[in-house]
Amino acid sequence: MTISSVGKVEVERLEAVRALNLTYTSDFPDLDAITSFASEIFGVSGALVTIVDEDVQWNISRSGYDDRWTPRLHSLCNVTLAQGRQLIVQDLSLDARFGSNPLVHQSPYLRFYAGIPLEIDPGICLGTLCLIDTETRSLSSREVAQLERLATIATALLRQHRDTVRVARLSMSLAQSARTIEEQSHTLTLQNRMLDEACALGEMGAFNHDLLTDQAEWSAILKRIHDLDEHTPIGPTSDFSHMARFYSKKDLKRYVVAVREAMRKRETLEFETTLRTAKGRRRWVRLRVDFEYDQNGRPVRRFGMMQDITREKRLLGRLDYLANRDPLTGLYNRNYFLRTANQHLKDRKHLTTGIAILDLDGFKAINDSYGHAAGDACLRAIATRLRSHCGPDWLLVRPGGDEFALVIADECDLETLKERLEALRLVIQQPIDWKGITFQVSASIGLAPAEPGCTQDALELVQSADLAVYKAKAAGRNCLATYSSDLHEVALHRFNIISEARRALDRGEFTLFYQPKIKLMDRSLSGFEALLRWRQPDGRYAAPGEYLPVLEDGEMSRRIGDFVMDEAIRQASHWRASGFDFGNIAINVSSSQFIGSGFVDRLISSMADASLAPGDIQIEVTEGVLLSTGATSVASGLKRLSDHGIKIAFDDFGTGYASLVHLRQLEFDVIKLDMSFVRSMLTSPADMAIVEAVLTLARRLGKQVVAEGVETGTQAETLLAHGCHYGQGYLFSRPKPAAVVEAAWRELREAV
């Protein structure tokens, strides 16, 4: 494109901006619904609809952002328009185009931007629908498609606004011409022609009913709205009989009453209704009716306009669907639930009411094993089953992820309600077929019945149902648990222990114990596993099993994980400097630590600062980490660590849903055979067979195996005889402080 052609496009673009007739205080409630919805579904700090003028970017619709305008010099959307296609920048501070922009390096310190051009006419982009955030982030292809659909809706609303402005301007011109009709008849003809074009553009038809002669005139467009031929005559109108074929009796009665009331009050009538055309098509229409009166105040003429607003209604209906429905399953979403759940419960005081939360068990394993397409198919299948088996007065919601919610109203007692939920649980766990593959999920269900009179808030019931879900999962999953007051005590205990652990971490009450990993052949030292301990006021050291809620909390899990990493690196550096050949130190890593790239970068950097080799620190992960919500981040982080030369161990191998799948998908160096198999292998042929199979598999894959929980010499000898070269357990040493295990192994080495 040449410079002159670029200038021509810009001139045409600015003319299109002027056509919108914007002012600094213009409000667009329909666009506000889009930006509010976009901000909510994408979880960003702000969403805007922008119009880029000659020197200014007008932010005509804003959610989470206050400024009505931005200098074009600083406009991010200006770059989107310049390139003429979507622009998505995960980190603005790293992009040369935006690094010096005051919106990036000054308040509001923007980091993320995603903009879709709003092309009101071919090649003419007025502005963008854009997302902004003060945190870096990315969009999936599905989210980009959703944003593009919202941009299409925003563009349609801008076109509608432009058309309305055109009609208003043309109508004003027509009114001015009417005042000088005698002097400017040729201008009137021209203006009538322009009005016809405007009416066609806005899908508006005119009508004129002479109440004295009982004759009616309909414009060609009005007849077209009714699917009538242009030459179709309009019959007598005084009794509105000419409308009976197009409107239901109820709607026609409402219209007649409204017309007569407006005529009596000498007011203009605005009315919306639906009609059925001569061809049987249903349309939404908006009418504006005025009246002419004689000198005695009697009405002599009824006239006005009818606009076909079917497309507008469908657009608003689609927007309402997007705002209130989950696009994957078609169920109501969290946004709709938060708005309506309370009223849904209060309207049914005579029924047994409450809220149930259904959390799917094993869903993450399906996603990890077969991909998100299989996971989506699973969610749709479960949603279909829920629709078929829920009561007619139950409000079915998918808040997100692998969770469903039921707002229940039923004519039954609580025990019968529990039976129905149990039946629903059995329906959910039926096998699901997808592309020749059969998989199965179950549901942990938490029920929070409403108290008589429904005095509880819906969100309070959700919190209670969540506690009941936690109880169901603790009971082994795939079961129903009902809320009871003691669950709040459990939750309070969890809150208190997390709070106390947070203070204990700040006071330095956490420490690491070390348990050796032994070469079974000669009982020499292979390395250590760092195990977390919490020093209690009585001097006792508590193991993680006593404070699991702390490790299940995302924030505390990350903080404690950072402490373990720092302390293990410090200890390894000290042992390396003192000449103690410790082999390696293995640390357990949680899924929360892999969120973002901070953990991997910090581990590699800290090891380099401590002059440690990649083999000095080993990472251990369980299948629970691999199946977490951050599974993609975990896999990416493990690959980066492996590429750097840090060995990865698969902890508690054999106890999860898909151990073999993960062993195939990820590059593990070490398999840690779970202690449950080691302890029972001498008495259980089945467990012995599993041990032999794991050792054979590891040997063929070239993996090391460390057997956990070795407590007797017979166990150690059996493992060695079957090809296991490493062991860990009380037979060799209990976990002890660093100084104790160092002294013991130095003494043993000197004795040898």
Side-chain angles (χ1 to χ4, degrees):
M1 181 178 293
T2 65
I3 293 178
S4 60
S5 62
V6 171
K8 180 180 179 182
V9 170
E10 178 63 6
V11 169
E12 293 175 351
R13 197 188 69 76
L14 292 175
E15 288 177 353
V17 171
R18 301 289 184 272
L20 292 178
N21 195 30
L22 294 174
T23 65
Y24 181 79
T25 58
S26 296
D27 288 320
F28 296 89
D30 291 338
L31 292 176
D32 290 344
I34 292 177
T35 54
S36 176
F37 176 58
S39 179
E40 178 179 342
I41 65 171
F42 293 106
V44 294
S45 59
L48 306 171
V49 172
T50 70
I51 300 297
V52 179
D53 208 334
E54 185 173 5
D55 299 309
V56 174
Q57 171 184 298
W58 298 105
N59 304 321
I60 64 173
S61 177
R62 305 168 303 283
S63 175
Y65 189 80
D66 295 331
D67 292 344
R68 286 182 175 268
W69 64 278
T70 302
R72 187 171 180 180
L73 179 64
H74 302 152
S75 167
L76 306 179
C77 298
N78 192 42
V79 179
T80 305
L81 296 190
Q83 72 178 26
R85 61 181 184 277
Q86 69 179 37
L87 174 64
I88 300 175
V89 183
Q90 297 182 11
D91 191 340
L92 292 165
S93 66
L94 300 180
D95 194 309
R97 295 170 294 181
F98 307 110
S100 61
N101 193 301
L103 297 177
V104 176
H105 64 80
Q106 297 177 15
S107 179
Y109 301 102
L110 298 181
R111 287 296 177 269
F112 170 76
Y113 172 86
I116 305 296
L118 303 179
E119 188 176 20
I120 196 166
D121 289 316
I124 304 298
C125 298
L126 299 185
T128 71
L129 170 63
C130 67
L131 308 177
I132 56 175
D133 206 324
T134 55
E135 300 290 337
T136 60
R137 58 182 295 132
S138 61
L139 295 182
S140 66
S141 58
R142 177 180 295 175
E143 290 173 324
V144 172
Q146 288 178 321
L147 185 60
E148 289 176 339
R149 286 194 291 271
L150 289 178
T152 300
I153 297 174
T155 303
L157 291 174
L158 287 174
R159 289 195 185 109
Q160 181 181 348
H161 172 76
R162 180 190 63 183
D163 296 342
T164 301
V165 170
R166 288 179 177 175
V167 171
R169 287 174 172 171
L170 291 171
S171 296
M172 291 175 62
S173 299
L174 180 61
Q176 183 178 359
S177 298
R179 287 192 295 267
T180 59
I181 188 170
E182 293 181 2
E183 297 80 14
Q184 300 178 342
S185 59
H186 65 283
T187 303
L188 177 60
T189 301
L190 176 62
Q191 293 294 342
N192 281 330
R193 191 175 301 165
M194 293 174 65
L195 178 60
D196 287 341
E197 293 176 358
C199 289
L201 184 64
E203 298 184 272
M204 291 185 294
F207 58 87
N208 178 27
H209 294 175
D210 189 324
L211 301 181
L212 298 179
T213 64
D214 199 18
Q215 296 298 312
E217 294 179 69
W218 283 14
S219 70
I221 295 177
L222 184 59
K223 290 180 179 179
R224 189 163 68 235
I225 290 174
H226 289 77
D227 277 336
L228 294 174
D229 182 81
E230 183 177 351
H231 303 291
T232 302
I234 305 300
T237 63
S238 58
D239 60 355
F240 299 93
S241 58
H242 67 295
M243 300 175 66
R245 62 183 291 199
F246 303 110
Y247 300 89
S248 68
K249 291 182 179 179
K250 180 179 179 181
D251 288 341
L252 182 57
K253 182 178 180 180
R254 284 195 309 115
Y255 177 68
V256 171
V257 170
V259 167
R260 289 173 176 169
E261 183 68 9
M263 196 183 312
R264 184 182 66 81
K265 294 181 178 180
R266 302 175 75 92
E267 295 177 344
T268 298
L269 171 64
E270 293 186 356
F271 191 83
E272 285 189 11
T273 186
T274 59
L275 60 83
R276 188 72 65 177
T277 73
K279 295 181 179 180
R281 292 187 290 193
R282 184 173 181 267
R283 285 178 175 159
W284 274 96
V285 293
R286 181 184 294 129
L287 293 104
R288 182 181 177 89
V289 185
D290 268 313
F291 307 91
E292 181 183 341
Y293 305 87
D294 63 14
Q295 294 180 348
N296 298 319
R298 293 179 304 175
V300 296
R301 191 165 67 95
R302 183 171 70 243
F303 62 96
M305 304 285 288
M306 175 185 286
Q307 182 180 19
D308 183 351
I309 58 172
T310 305
R311 286 192 297 178
E312 176 186 335
K313 287 291 185 179
R314 288 174 180 169
L315 182 64
L316 292 175
R318 179 59 180 167
L319 188 60
D320 180 72
Y321 183 91
L322 291 172
N324 297 303
R325 295 281 184 169
D326 166 43
L328 178 64
T329 63
L331 301 180
Y332 287 113
N333 59 18
R334 183 175 183 273
N335 176 53
Y336 182 84
F337 166 78
L338 292 175
R339 293 203 328 268
T340 63
N342 279 326
Q343 195 60 44
H344 190 84
L345 293 172
K346 291 176 181 178
D347 288 346
R348 294 161 172 79
K349 293 182 179 180
H350 63 290
L351 303 177
T352 299
T353 59
I355 288 178
I357 303 294
L358 290 75
D359 193 284
L360 299 184
D361 308 318
F363 175 76
K364 291 183 179 64
I366 293 174
N367 254 352
D368 273 11
S369 301
Y370 303 106
H372 289 290
D376 290 349
C378 174
L379 292 173
R380 285 192 292 266
I382 297 300
T384 299
R385 293 176 183 180
L386 291 174
R387 282 195 197 92
S388 300
H389 290 81
C390 287
D393 292 324
W394 293 15
L395 178 63
L396 181 56
V397 181
R398 184 193 170 211
D402 57 358
E403 188 176 87
F404 296 87
L406 298 171
V407 184
I408 299 168
D410 217 325
E411 295 183 3
C412 65
D413 56 29
L414 182 58
E415 290 305 315
T416 303
L417 178 59
K418 290 180 183 179
E419 292 176 2
R420 294 191 62 181
L421 288 174
E422 282 286 1
L424 196 61
R425 181 182 62 80
L426 296 177
V427 168
I428 290 173
Q429 71 179 22
Q430 295 301 312
I432 298 172
D433 293 324
W434 178 75
K435 293 186 177 181
I437 302 171
T438 300
F439 43 74
Q440 189 172 17
V441 296
S442 59
S444 297
I445 305 177
L447 170 63
E451 294 178 355
C454 196
T455 59
Q456 292 168 286
D457 183 86
L459 288 181
E460 293 176 344
L461 289 173
V462 168
Q463 293 170 355
S464 298
D466 277 333
L467 292 176
V469 169
Y470 186 82
K471 177 181 178 182
K473 288 186 175 295
R477 304 174 184 267
N478 191 24
C479 62
L480 168 68
T482 304
Y483 169 79
S484 57
S485 58
D486 63 300
L487 294 182
H488 266 298
E489 297 177 7
V490 173
L492 181 61
H493 169 72
R494 182 176 183 274
F495 173 80
N496 289 336
I497 196 172
I498 291 174
S499 299
E500 182 58 30
R502 189 176 290 112
R503 291 189 290 268
L505 189 59
D506 293 335
R507 293 193 297 257
E509 295 176 3
F510 282 95
T511 188
L512 294 185
F513 278 23
Y514 296 85
Q515 187 176 34
K517 296 178 288 185
I518 305 300
K519 293 181 181 178
L520 297 178
M521 179 68 71
D522 56 8
R523 303 297 173 92
S524 62
L525 178 63
S526 170
F528 290 96
E529 180 179 0
L531 299 168
L532 186 67
R533 294 295 184 266
W534 181 358
R535 187 176 67 254
Q536 302 298 300
D538 60 1
R540 182 178 64 86
Y541 287 92
E546 299 181 50
Y547 48 91
L548 282 178
V550 176
L551 302 179
E552 293 169 350
D553 179 79
E555 177 202 355
M556 285 304 297
S557 176
R558 284 191 295 273
R559 289 189 60 192
I560 289 177
D562 287 343
F563 163 78
V564 171
M565 177 183 70
D566 293 341
E567 184 63 18
I569 289 175
R570 186 199 63 78
Q571 188 62 56
S573 179
H574 168 74
W575 277 341
R576 189 64 71 206
S578 65
F580 176 47
D581 186 10
F582 61 90
N584 61 66
I585 296 178
I587 59 175
N588 292 278
V589 180
S590 66
S591 59
S592 60
Q593 290 176 264
F594 282 102
I595 297 176
S597 59
F599 165 71
V600 174
D601 293 337
R602 189 160 173 259
L603 174 60
I604 294 173
S605 176
S606 297
M607 290 179 64
D609 292 342
S611 300
L612 294 179
D616 290 338
I617 297 295
Q618 193 175 99
I619 299 299
E620 292 191 4
V621 293
T622 63
E623 185 174 86
V625 174
L626 302 176
L627 291 175
S628 66
T629 54
T632 302
S633 296
V634 172
S636 175
L638 290 178
K639 186 177 186 308
R640 288 185 60 202
L641 291 172
S642 181
D643 291 343
H644 193 71
I646 297 174
K647 290 189 176 182
I648 313 297
F650 194 162
D651 199 10
D652 299 338
F653 184 81
T655 60
Y657 289 99
S659 295
L660 293 178
V661 172
H662 292 302
L663 193 61
R664 180 189 64 190
Q665 293 177 340
L666 301 172
E667 290 295 328
F668 290 102
D669 304 286
V670 179
I671 295 173
K672 298 199 74 175
L673 183 61
D674 187 71
M675 64 176 64
S676 61
F677 299 114
V678 174
R679 289 175 177 171
S680 59
M681 67 181 180
L682 298 179
T683 58
S684 169
D687 285 349
M688 187 70 241
I690 292 174
V691 170
E692 292 174 348
V694 171
L695 292 173
T696 300
L697 176 65
R699 183 170 62 254
R700 293 185 176 180
L701 294 177
K703 314 292 184 185
Q704 294 181 0
V705 176
V706 178
E708 298 181 295
V710 181
E711 298 181 352
T712 68
T714 304
Q715 290 173 343
E717 292 169 1
T718 302
L719 289 166
L720 181 61
H722 284 83
C724 181
H725 300 118
Y726 300 92
Q728 179 181 344
Y730 289 175
L731 173 64
F732 312 113
S733 174
R734 290 177 177 271
K736 297 176 182 179
V740 176
V741 296
E742 177 186 354
W745 282 99
R746 284 186 184 276
E747 181 180 345
L748 179 62
R749 186 176 60 184
E750 291 171 0
V752 174

